[in-house]
Amino acid sequence: MKINFLVLIFTSVLLCALPACVTSPTPTAQDESIRQALSNAKYILEDTPIKMVHLKNGFYKKEFTAGTSDLIEVQLLEERAFGDINGDGTEDAAVILKVYTGGTGEYYCLELMINKKGSPKPLPDVFLGDRIAVKSLVIRPGSVLVNMLDRKPDEGMAADPTVEVKRTFKLIGGKLTELK
């Protein structure tokens, strides 16, 4: 009886310790490369005058006319998601860029970076909104989920975004398309 009790205790301790030994999948060298490259990557911004920006340390700024507000500033935000969106076995990235073009707006864009042998290949951006708040990003096979806060249709742009909005984008033909 005493031996059965000791075996039961030993088995219980072993089973409780096993989850601590299990690790999540280790990213490959290509996966790590794309994570590190995001702050210094090229991004497609279709609705801007320059169409593509090359970030340096997560930031880009260009004045079109010196000393005026005729400019573009782009900042890579902290909201990021990683996962294999296109089924090729490598980790891709979804990021948020904040774009300022000299007026009162702060435009938020969803950017998808496809992992091509460890280098990020940008796809055309998707405009999410003006002065919104992105709460989370998730990559699932074939799609990106964005959870964000926006305003009610009758609220002015000065109001804080408080309305929760969930948007899903599917990768179709090399572009993100919103599912309605």
Side-chain angles (χ1 to χ4, degrees), residues 48-50 60 62-73 101:
T48 66
I50 55 177
Y60 174 89
K62 179 175 182 171
E63 284 186 74
F64 296 105
T65 307
T68 71
S69 63
D70 188 13
L71 60 84
I72 183 169
E73 290 180 359
T101 57

Side-chain angles (χ1 to χ4, degrees), residues 3 10 15 17 22 25-26 31 64 90 111 123 131 138 162 168 172 174:
I3 292 177
F10 177 76
L15 289 175
V22 176
T26 304
D31 295 343
F64 296 105
T90 60
E111 293 278 346
L123 296 186
R131 291 171 268 180
V138 176
T162 57
T168 302
I172 301 172

Side-chain angles (χ1 to χ4, degrees), residues 67-174:
T68 71
S69 63
D70 188 13
L71 60 84
I72 183 169
E73 290 180 359
V74 180
Q75 179 184 1
L76 176 65
L77 300 182
E78 293 299 316
E79 292 85 1
R80 299 170 193 185
F82 300 94
D84 184 11
I85 193 168
N86 58 355
D88 67 355
T90 60
E91 185 177 73
D92 306 303
V95 301
I96 301 296
L97 295 181
K98 181 168 70 170
V99 180
Y100 172 72
T101 57
T104 58
E106 291 181 349
Y107 308 109
Y108 290 75
C109 299
L110 171 63
E111 293 278 346
L112 184 63
M113 304 296 270
I114 299 297
N115 189 339
K116 292 291 184 186
K117 298 180 183 176
S119 295
K121 177 187 177 255
L123 296 186
D125 66 316
V126 175
F127 176 72
L128 294 175
D130 182 2
R131 291 171 268 180
I132 61 163
V134 176
K135 294 175 63 177
S136 66
L137 282 176
V138 176
I139 289 182
R140 293 203 176 134
S143 63
V144 178
L145 309 171
V146 180
N147 186 13
M148 56 187 246
L149 297 176
D150 205 345
R151 284 165 214 76
K152 296 176 187 170
D154 61 341
E155 287 185 306
M157 295 306 290
D160 287 335
T162 57
V163 178
E164 188 166 339
V165 177
K166 294 181 182 195
R167 296 173 70 180
T168 302
F169 300 90
K170 187 147 183 76
L171 182 60
I172 301 172

